[in-house]
Amino acid sequence: MEMSLLRPATTQPFLSSFSKFQPTHRSRNYKSIKFRFTVAGGSAVGSSRIEGGGTTITADCVIVGGGISGLCIAQALSTKHPDAAPNVIVTEAKDRVGGNIITREEKGFLWEEGPNSFQPSDPMLTMVVDSGLKDELVLGDPNAPRFVLWNGKLRPVPSKLTDLPFFDLMSIGGKIRAGLGALGIRPPPPGREESVEEFVRRNLGDEVFERLIEPFCSGVYAGDPSKLSMKAAFGKVWKLEENGGSIIGGTFKAIQERNKAPKTTRDPRLPKPKGQTVGSFRKGLTMLPEAISARLGSKVKVSWKLSSITKLDSGGYNLTYETPEGIVSVQSKSVVMTVPSHVASSLLRPLSDTAAEALSKLYYPPVAAVSTSYPKEANPKRMLNRWRTKRVWPVASTHTRRTIYSSSLFPNRAPPGRVLLLNYIGGATNTGILSKSEGELVEAVDRDLRKMLIKPSSTDPLVLGVRVWPQAIPQFLIGHIDLVDAAKASLSSSGHDGIFLGGNYVAGVALGRCVEGAYETATEVNNFMSRYAYK
C-alpha cells in the first residue's frame, strides 16, 4: 500500500489538535547556484566585548544558549518581568544567534534550512510585536489545503469539521469507526502511558492512524509513532480523553470551561490572522532572533563557550566561559539552560549526576533540509492553478518526510518562473542519511518528487542548499515527561534551585511552542527571583 503525507507548513495543523533507494534510470548531474552542504553543529569563533573591564562579571540571570528559546526568555523577562532580573546575559557558543533557525538568500531565492514557519498564536504574535517585526510579518493562505498520497492519488486532508463527511482519504467504515471511537465507543485506556499509535488505533481506528497520524508524526516529529508518547507529543488531545472520558466528551468539557473562565482583553497591538494559517517574515524566520538580539544589545554574548558551572557558597552560581578575549567568569543568581539536552547533561553532571543521566537519555534523530527549485512548467497541468493560488503542497514519501512549497506559501521566495521546494529527509525511521552524500540526498528527494508532483521528464533541479542536522528534533518518546521531571526534581533536591531547564525538549518542537515555553520559563525565573530577593 503506497502512502505518504503532503505536509502543511506548520507543526501544529488541524490533526495535532486532536534504506535503500530505488535505482534511477540515469545518473543526474544536479546544478547548483552555490552548493551548500552543511553539517550543523560545532562551535565557531567570533567576537564579543567583555563589560566591566575584568575577568569576573555579575548577573541576575544567565541564559545559556542563544537560540530562539534563550532569546525569547530574555525578551520575556524584559517585557513581562522587568524588575525580576534586570541584568540578564544570553551566551551562545557559536558566532551567531538563532540556533536551528537559518535563512539563506541568493539570486532571487529566499529559503529556510531549519524550521520553515510558525503558528501565529497570541504569545507568538506578542513576541513578534515586542521585537518590532509587526510590519515584517507575512501569513500564508488560510485556505491552503494539505494532501496525503494514498494508493497513487493525492487526497485532501480535512481542515475543518464540515470536511469530515466528504473527504475520500478514508472509507465509510473507517469514518464510522473514527466517529464512534471519538464518542467513547472503543476499548478503555490501558492504565499505562500509551504510544501515539496505540492511542489513535484504540480511539479512532486503524485507518486514521495509517492514513493520517502516521505520516503526520513522520513529517512533524521526524519520529516513529509506535515509540512517541501520546501524552508528551500530543498532550492537548490526550487530555481530552483523560478529562472527558472520550475525545468528544473532553472537547465539550473544554468548551464549557472556556466559556466559564473570566474574559480577558486581547492585546490590541496584535494582528488578527484569518483562519488556520502559518507565518514567517518578509526576509525569513531569521529576522526574529536577529531583531531580539539587536534589542538586547550587549546582553547577548556570542562565541562564548561554557566550560563549567559551580555552586557558590554564598548562593548563586559561577559560570566559566572560554571567550575570544580569554577566560571569563560570570557569577549569577539564576541560570536557564536552553541548550540541547545532551549538552545540558554534560554541563550539569558535576552538579547532579541523576539530572545529567536523565537528560542524556533523550533522543534526537538526524534530519536533512534539502532546498531545490524547478521551473514552473515542471509541474503537471492539473496542479498549476493550485500553485498559482499560493496554496501549500507539502509531501512526504518513503524517504522524503515532507515538502513545503515555499514559493507558493509566502511572497518573494523565488524568481519569476521558478518554484522553490523545501524538503526534509531522515528522521527516526531513516537515520541512514548520515552516511549519504549531498548528491545522494538530493537524488532521493528528486526521485520522490518525480513520483508524485514533478513531471518525470523535467530538467534536473537547481540545488540551493543541503543542510544536515545530525541531532535535529527531540523525540517525545514514552517516558519523556518522566525524564524531564526527574532532571528538574534532582536539581531541586540536590540544592540547585535557580537552575532552570528550557528549550524545545521541554516546551515542544514547534517554533511557536518554544516561544510559549519562553514566557512560561520567564515566569518561573520571576517567581524564583522574587523569593531570592527576600533571602
Side-chain angles (χ1 to χ4, degrees):
M1 190 70 76
E2 181 186 15
M3 178 276 295
S4 69
L5 176 65
L6 277 135
R7 297 294 329 127
T10 173
T11 54
Q12 295 290 340
F14 171 79
L15 293 175
S16 67
S17 312
F18 241 156
S19 67
K20 294 290 182 181
F21 302 126
Q22 296 296 321
T24 55
H25 64 284
R26 63 187 177 94
S27 176
R28 297 184 178 276
N29 296 315
Y30 297 99
K31 298 177 183 178
S32 172
I33 284 180
K34 186 177 181 182
F35 206 96
R36 302 180 185 275
F37 180 65
T38 310
V39 176
S43 60
V45 176
S47 62
S48 180
R49 287 182 54 200
I50 302 176
E51 297 181 4
T55 58
T56 300
I57 58 178
T58 60
D60 296 312
C61 180
V62 172
I63 300 171
V64 182
I68 195 64
S69 293
L71 292 170
C72 287
I73 291 169
Q75 175 144 300
L77 283 170
S78 67
T79 58
K80 300 296 184 182
H81 313 286
D83 298 327
N87 185 9
V88 174
I89 296 176
V90 181
T91 64
E92 170 56 50
K94 298 176 184 176
D95 64 350
R96 64 168 188 87
V97 296
N100 290 357
I101 296 178
I102 298 178
T103 306
R104 301 294 188 191
E105 185 175 13
E106 196 168 328
K107 295 187 182 297
F109 290 97
L110 182 75
W111 70 96
E112 306 286 354
E113 295 189 341
N116 65 87
S117 61
F118 55 81
Q119 257 200 333
S121 64
D122 279 2
M124 185 75 215
L125 292 174
T126 300
M127 190 63 64
V128 170
V129 171
D130 287 343
S131 302
L133 294 177
K134 181 177 180 179
D135 294 337
E136 302 294 330
L137 180 68
V138 292
L139 298 173
D141 181 358
N143 298 314
R146 302 180 291 272
F147 290 82
V148 167
L149 182 73
W150 183 261
N151 278 353
K153 180 182 177 181
L154 291 170
R155 304 169 192 272
V157 173
S159 59
K160 52 186 181 297
L161 289 176
T162 54
D163 294 340
L164 294 176
F166 306 107
F167 74 106
D168 67 349
L169 177 60
M170 292 171 55
S171 68
I172 294 177
K175 294 176 185 178
I176 293 174
R177 167 64 180 88
L180 293 174
L183 288 169
I185 305 174
R186 71 331 180 213
R192 55 173 172 76
E193 187 173 7
E194 286 183 285
S195 69
V196 171
E197 179 176 1
E198 291 172 324
F199 180 94
V200 175
R201 287 189 188 274
R202 180 175 60 81
N203 274 280
L204 302 174
D206 295 341
E207 286 192 18
V208 171
F209 172 74
E210 294 165 0
R211 305 184 190 190
L212 288 173
I213 303 303
E214 185 174 29
F216 172 74
C217 289
S218 176
V220 172
Y221 276 91
D224 182 347
S226 69
K227 298 178 181 178
L228 287 173
S229 163
M230 188 68 193
K231 180 180 179 180
F234 302 104
K236 289 183 179 180
V237 180
W238 177 84
K239 286 180 181 178
L240 293 178
E241 183 187 33
E242 179 77 2
N243 296 336
S246 68
I247 292 175
I248 296 295
T251 301
F252 281 126
K253 187 173 181 179
I255 293 173
Q256 291 173 344
E257 292 175 351
R258 186 165 62 246
N259 291 336
K260 292 178 181 178
K263 303 299 181 183
T264 57
T265 302
R266 188 172 187 266
D267 188 338
R269 303 176 304 155
L270 304 186
K272 296 180 179 180
K274 296 180 180 179
Q276 289 203 6
T277 185
V278 291
S280 183
F281 303 100
R282 183 176 56 84
K283 287 294 184 179
L285 291 180
T286 193
M287 291 190 75
L288 182 58
E290 289 177 355
I292 297 174
S293 179
R295 285 180 172 254
L296 294 172
S298 61
K299 294 180 179 180
V300 177
K301 311 293 185 180
V302 295
S303 299
W304 277 36
K305 184 178 179 181
L306 179 59
S307 57
S308 67
I309 306 176
T310 57
K311 183 74 180 287
L312 296 171
D313 293 338
S314 57
Y317 300 89
N318 184 82
L319 296 87
T320 302
Y321 286 91
E322 300 171 15
T323 81
E325 288 81 6
I327 302 299
V328 176
S329 294
V330 183
Q331 295 186 356
S332 179
K333 299 172 184 176
S334 60
V335 179
V336 182
M337 305 292 291
T338 69
V339 291
S341 61
H342 47 89
V343 178
S345 173
S346 298
L347 292 169
L348 294 175
R349 191 168 292 278
L351 300 180
S352 171
D353 190 68
T354 301
E357 191 63 25
L359 293 177
S360 71
K361 294 178 180 178
L362 303 186
Y363 172 52
Y364 295 64
V367 174
V370 181
S371 300
T372 58
S373 174
Y374 296 84
K376 277 196 172 180
E377 55 267 25
N379 180 38
K381 187 175 181 180
R382 67 181 181 274
M383 300 179 188
L384 190 56
N385 288 334
R386 292 187 175 109
W387 273 8
R388 285 175 176 165
T389 58
K390 296 183 174 65
R391 296 187 178 185
V392 184
W393 280 78
V395 62
S397 67
T398 303
H399 301 299
T400 307
R401 302 330 318 164
R402 56 174 171 156
T403 293
I404 308 300
Y405 280 68
S406 302
S407 55
S408 181
L409 181 61
F410 299 122
N412 304 316
R413 263 31 181 190
R418 303 294 303 188
V419 173
L420 175 62
L421 304 177
L422 170 57
N423 312 276
Y424 295 100
I425 184 170
T429 59
N430 186 14
T431 58
I433 65 163
L434 290 177
S435 64
K436 302 296 181 182
S437 68
E438 62 269 29
E440 289 173 319
L441 293 175
V442 172
E443 186 173 3
V445 167
D446 179 61
R447 183 166 52 244
D448 287 340
L449 292 175
R450 290 172 192 273
K451 290 177 183 177
M452 296 172 288
L453 299 172
I454 303 300
K455 292 178 181 178
S457 59
S458 175
T459 58
D460 293 338
L462 186 63
V463 180
L464 300 171
V466 178
R467 182 172 292 271
V468 177
W469 301 93
Q471 293 174 294
I473 303 174
Q475 299 297 285
F476 283 46
L477 305 178
I478 291 175
H480 178 92
I481 294 177
D482 292 338
L483 288 172
V484 175
D485 286 347
K488 292 179 178 180
S490 177
L491 288 170
S492 179
S493 64
S494 60
H496 294 100
D497 288 327
I499 294 183
F500 301 90
L501 303 180
N504 60 1
Y505 73 91
V506 177
V509 302
L511 194 155
R513 268 304 302 156
C514 290
V515 173
E516 292 169 14
Y519 283 108
E520 294 163 5
T521 301
T523 299
E524 292 181 40
V525 173
N526 173 68
N527 294 340
F528 170 78
M529 293 300 291
S530 298
R531 298 194 305 271
Y532 193 97
Y534 293 101
K535 288 185 177 180

